[in-house]
Amino acid sequence: MPVIEYREAIRDALAEELTRDANVVVFGEEVGQFQGAYKVTKGLLEKFGPKRIVDTPISEAGFIGMGIGASMLGVRPVMELMFWSFYSVAFDQILNNAANVRYMSGGQINCPIVIRGPANGGTNVGATHSHTPENVLANHPGVKVVVPATAYDAKGLLKSAIRDNDPVFFLENTMLYGEKGEIPTEEYLIPLGKADVKREGTDLTIVTYGRCVLHSLAAAALLEKEHDVSVEVVDLRCIRPLDIDTVLASVAKTHRVLIVEEQKPFASVGSQLAYMIQREAFDELDGPIHRLATIDAPAIYSPPVEAEQLPNPQRVLKAALAAVA
Amino acid sequence: MSKKPTAIAEKNSAPAVPANDAAHAPINAGLPREEKIELYRKMVRIRRFEERSLQAYQKGGKIGGFLHLYIGQEAVAVGCCSLMGKHDHVITAYRDHGHAIAVGMDTKPLMAELYGKATGCSKGKGGSMHYFDPTKNFWGGHGIVGGQIPLGVGLAYGVKYQGHKGAAMAFMGDGTVNQGAVHEAYNLASLWQLPVIFVIENNGYSMGTSQERSSAGALAKRAEGYDMAWGVCDGHDVYQVRATMDKFLRLAREESKPAVIEIRTYRYRGHSVADPDNTYRSKQEIEEYRRSKDPIQVFQNQLLTERVLDEALIEKIDAEARAEADAAADFSEASPFPTPDDIQKDVYWETDNPTERKSQGRLFFD
């Protein structure tokens, strides 16, 4: 199978869907002539032309709102946010309009829009550019939230997201864009809301998603080698819809849980997971649910310290040992 | 040919807005008699509908939340929406009852929506501020000031992308011009030459703050900064609204040119029913508008002059509009509320169409 970068997998998904459906249009800042701030959309303008690959002004509320409006008429916009951190200036459009318009119209309207872009820390760009809003987004009924960890998942999930008739928010990671993975040559889709067991184990379940999947897999290898602890890593892949059944099946197998997330801890995705696990698998648990999150402060700039503020393999290792102690 | 208002008009203690050149504009002069009557009838129907809704709100306690009445502004929505073709679209803010009736929505589900009933146009899930009917190209009904304007640009984008000759009318109040999203929308519309008309319904007050206390400079003229055409017209006269909007709608449909139009109007009621309306303007001011510029009275006088209407027809139209409003209230009264089971319907397209669902996992949580 060909081995390609995560960013190429996203690009391939875009290209395939642009080819398949004339209603798909890619919008965003620097997606065309500049070839994408992170080169995700490289070459698409040349291939599909300016009607399908549209450079927007720096105007997130305007162009995201415009995409939502166009989607009500059947256009299928895929809007790139250069950073998901900029969602704050388009918040009203994303959450009052995309998330609510179906409900407020009594089901008469749907918004088949995808908003995608990176949402992560770890690049030393400070608090304004390091938001991870998957919990904020997923708090709103009406939307779907996807956070892929690998090139394979990113491609299959993005293709499903573009075909979805509800608004889908697709959160990538600049630290993953260069990560390589195997991709089949034939077309494939991954349904939203299906978790993936990335590593099987018997002593501890790590529930995670996004870049923390890679940290957890690295820690799991060390735990097995150096501490004789067998870790199962469950990659949620989607936050909403949520595949809680795969999580509960793993808990029933290992009886111990560590949640790892690149999230501020208060009211995070992990908070919701912990509630659901204790509510639905209380008798399976041999100890309290543990969690490793971002250290609770705005994102620090200082490069070596930011690496410690976020989950990383060493922090996962330490948290895992505490969870099985 | 239209003349000055006649003695009949004076008897009705009306119309300071004189019969005007707009009556001669081809878009008006060429109207068949029945369509002129229909314009008049729609304005009367909007007013009687809203008066009936106010009664239900205040006396019956039948309506919850906000109720933003359009009374006094009827000529704007009726004039603009009367020009709609197959590929023209409308979106507006929370003062949306007039537009909904103007695009042709039935008043029964509109009233039922206010009552919070399952038979409402949004199944009782939207309320007064959130009327929608995509089958009439009416895309709401939006509660956040200015939030609908980028959506209006998107409707225009969709029309152009799909290769249709059409235009979007994105309505807003005078207070909306100071929202950032509006300026982002102006820039996109002009930059990409999208067929959208931004319609500022200037009733003089953004809630309780007058135009001079909230907006610097002339409202529509801000279009110049975005290299867009703009215009101002009298919104008390439905002929003027139509003549002005027709010109700009043609430019939008045929040459894909956006524009900003300020239509000067006035609301007689408070910002919403919750506004006692005794702090920011005088009763005399309201009375003066009612006496001299009422859009229904102005048009009635015009049509009397044209001998399109007579007293008997005026009375018949009014009686029918009152009966229609009462019937809408009776329908609403008799309709069931949505059930608790309905709360989680109409959230996701996928869960409303379960046989076509592709995703897995939980979409709802408890």
Side-chain angles (χ1 to χ4, degrees):
Chain A
M1 283 199 286
V3 175
I4 64 171
E5 290 183 349
Y6 181 103
R7 66 158 62 76
E8 295 174 282
I10 294 167
R11 183 188 308 148
D12 289 353
L14 291 170
E16 287 177 20
E17 294 306 297
L18 281 157
T19 303
R20 185 187 61 81
D21 183 351
N23 277 316
V24 175
V25 190
V26 170
F27 293 91
E29 294 156 7
E30 312 295 0
V31 296
Q33 205 172 56
F34 193 87
Q35 308 289 325
Y38 289 97
K39 306 303 170 205
V40 170
T41 54
K42 187 177 172 188
L44 294 183
L45 176 63
E46 193 184 356
K47 188 166 181 196
F48 294 99
K51 189 183 175 191
R52 312 289 302 285
I53 310 296
V54 184
D55 280 319
T56 67
I58 301 172
S59 191
E60 288 86 2
F63 76 76
I64 297 274
M66 190 196 77
I68 296 164
S71 80
M72 301 192 305
L73 286 184
V75 179
R76 302 185 85 89
V78 182
M79 322 289 291
E80 176 172 309
L81 280 173
M82 191 183 292
F83 294 88
W84 257 104
S85 285
F86 303 158
Y87 83 117
S88 53
V89 293
F91 205 82
D92 179 49
Q93 296 301 322
I94 292 171
L95 297 174
N96 271 320
N97 291 341
N100 287 347
V101 76
R102 178 171 184 78
Y103 198 67
M104 296 192 304
S105 67
Q108 296 181 82
I109 297 172
N110 63 296
C111 291
I113 188 173
V114 174
I115 304 177
R116 53 154 289 271
N120 58 280
T123 54
N124 321 133
V125 288
T128 55
H129 285 59
S130 304
H131 291 289
T132 52
E134 58 269 22
N135 57 332
V136 178
L137 299 169
N139 186 247
H140 294 78
V143 311
K144 296 172 179 170
V145 181
V146 184
V147 192
T150 67
Y152 176 84
D153 289 346
K155 184 178 178 189
L157 289 165
L158 183 56
K159 284 169 67 75
S160 290
I162 293 170
R163 298 181 191 193
D164 202 283
N165 285 329
D166 293 307
V168 182
F169 304 148
F170 197 86
L171 281 63
E172 302 157 12
N173 190 313
T174 57
M175 307 286 279
L176 295 177
Y177 280 145
E179 291 285 329
K180 290 183 173 170
E182 286 191 335
I183 304 277
T185 43
E186 63 275 15
E187 183 176 48
Y188 67 98
L189 294 161
I190 299 173
L192 307 189
K194 190 167 186 292
D196 184 40
V197 178
K198 287 282 197 286
R199 178 192 173 102
E200 295 203 12
T202 53
D203 301 330
L204 172 70
T205 296
I206 294 182
V207 186
T208 186
Y209 60 91
R211 186 178 171 223
C212 289
V213 171
L214 274 58
H215 297 327
S216 300
L217 289 170
L222 287 172
L223 283 157
E224 179 144 55
K225 196 171 152 197
E226 295 173 8
H227 301 276
D228 199 26
V229 175
S230 168
V231 177
E232 180 144 305
V233 177
V234 177
D235 175 6
L236 293 175
R237 300 198 291 199
C238 277
I239 307 304
R240 190 170 186 152
L242 181 67
D243 180 3
I244 194 67
D245 292 342
T246 295
V247 174
L248 297 175
S250 182
V251 173
K253 188 171 151 193
T254 67
H255 309 292
R256 290 185 186 270
V257 182
L258 169 66
I259 297 162
V260 179
E261 55 182 349
E262 188 180 325
Q263 280 263 279
K264 306 289 168 26
F266 192 95
S268 71
V269 171
S271 309
Q272 174 67 20
L273 285 168
Y275 166 75
M276 293 175 77
I277 294 167
Q278 67 80 32
R279 185 72 184 83
E280 300 186 34
F282 189 74
D283 291 338
E284 297 288 353
L285 290 169
D286 285 348
I289 298 165
H290 286 240
R291 173 173 64 173
L292 176 68
T294 302
I295 293 174
D296 199 14
I300 192 168
Y301 158 67
S302 179
V305 185
E306 191 192 10
E308 291 306 310
Q309 184 176 12
L310 302 179
N312 56 44
Q314 284 307 314
R315 288 187 68 210
V316 176
L317 180 87
K318 204 172 148 192
L321 289 173
V324 295
Chain B
M1 298 287 285
S2 94
K3 301 175 204 161
K4 290 275 181 195
T6 64
I8 297 167
E10 281 155 29
K11 188 184 76 185
N12 289 334
S13 76
V17 179
N20 53 70
D21 292 342
H24 305 293
I27 191 73
N28 295 321
L31 266 186
R33 177 174 179 272
E34 281 311 312
E35 290 187 30
K36 291 180 178 179
I37 293 171
E38 183 58 21
L39 290 174
Y40 178 79
R41 186 193 309 276
K42 272 204 168 146
M43 291 200 282
V44 175
R45 287 175 59 223
I46 292 169
R47 185 160 300 182
R48 297 308 179 212
F49 173 87
E50 290 210 305
E51 287 170 347
R52 187 67 186 78
S53 71
L54 180 63
Q55 189 189 339
Y57 191 103
Q58 290 181 326
K59 297 202 175 116
K62 302 288 185 186
I63 299 172
F66 298 138
L67 189 69
H68 304 92
L69 298 177
Y70 197 62
I71 294 174
Q73 301 184 207
E74 294 92 341
V76 181
V78 169
C80 292
C81 296
S82 68
L83 300 166
M84 285 172 73
K86 188 181 171 199
H87 294 296
D88 295 332
H89 298 268
V90 166
I91 191 164
T92 188
Y94 43 79
R95 198 177 304 285
D96 60 351
H97 308 161
H99 306 78
I101 294 173
V103 299
M105 289 178 75
D106 181 3
T107 50
K108 283 192 171 96
L110 293 179
M111 188 72 86
E113 187 63 27
L114 302 181
Y115 277 61
K117 296 297 182 78
T119 54
C121 56
S122 295
K123 304 182 188 168
K125 293 177 174 178
S128 165
M129 301 189 287
H130 308 120
Y131 283 176
F132 293 84
D133 189 348
T135 68
K136 306 269 193 242
N137 291 0
F138 179 56
W139 301 94
H142 293 266
I144 303 295
V145 172
Q148 79 280 13
I149 301 301
L151 298 185
V153 173
L155 293 170
Y157 194 96
V159 166
K160 190 171 182 179
Y161 186 84
Q162 292 170 344
H164 301 305
K165 291 252 182 231
M169 289 184 271
F171 290 86
M172 67 185 107
D174 45 293
T176 314
V177 301
N178 301 317
Q179 283 281 39
V182 172
H183 291 265
E184 296 193 26
Y186 281 3
N187 182 55
L188 294 173
S190 183
L191 186 69
W192 292 335
Q193 290 291 286
L194 300 175
V196 55
I197 311 292
F198 301 101
V199 184
I200 304 166
E201 296 193 58
N202 183 359
N203 64 23
Y205 297 91
S206 59
M207 196 165 162
T209 304
S210 63
Q211 184 187 331
E212 57 269 27
R213 293 178 64 229
S214 64
S215 295
L219 304 188
K221 192 165 182 259
R222 293 181 185 184
E224 287 180 5
Y226 298 95
D227 202 18
M228 262 191 296
W230 61 280
V232 178
C233 84
D234 177 353
H236 307 289
D237 174 3
V238 72
Y239 275 167
Q240 281 205 38
V241 172
R242 281 170 50 86
T244 304
M245 286 298 291
D246 178 58
K247 192 170 70 177
F248 287 98
L249 277 169
R250 282 175 196 278
L251 281 171
R253 291 186 199 112
E254 285 156 28
E255 298 177 37
S256 201
K257 289 207 181 309
V260 179
I261 309 301
E262 174 188 346
I263 302 183
R264 294 198 173 136
T265 182
Y266 197 79
R267 66 168 153 76
Y268 300 159
R269 301 286 174 172
H271 167 72
S272 74
V273 175
D275 167 16
D277 201 3
N278 57 10
T279 53
Y280 57 90
R281 60 181 182 176
S282 67
K283 291 239 179 322
Q284 291 85 338
E285 179 183 297
I286 302 169
E287 273 316 302
E288 180 56 25
Y289 272 96
R290 274 187 188 278
R291 193 189 62 75
S292 66
K293 294 190 172 182
D294 183 79
I296 293 175
Q297 193 62 58
V298 167
F299 198 49
Q300 186 189 106
N301 295 334
Q302 175 68 30
L303 294 185
L304 284 167
T305 308
E306 293 183 35
R307 300 189 188 286
V308 168
L309 287 180
D310 58 31
E311 291 294 347
L313 187 51
I314 289 168
E315 274 181 33
K316 179 167 179 283
I317 289 169
D318 194 47
E320 285 169 355
R322 287 173 191 275
E324 179 188 353
D326 285 340
D330 292 344
F331 170 80
S332 306
E333 194 78 51
S335 292
F337 286 105
T339 67
D341 286 343
D342 293 325
I343 292 173
Q344 289 186 320
K345 292 174 186 161
D346 306 310
V347 178
Y348 289 97
W349 182 91
E350 265 202 330
T351 48
D352 296 336
N353 298 275
T355 58
E356 295 178 65
R357 183 172 176 188
K358 301 279 197 308
S359 80
Q360 304 177 14
R362 287 193 204 172
L363 276 166
F364 293 101
F365 299 85
D366 49 30

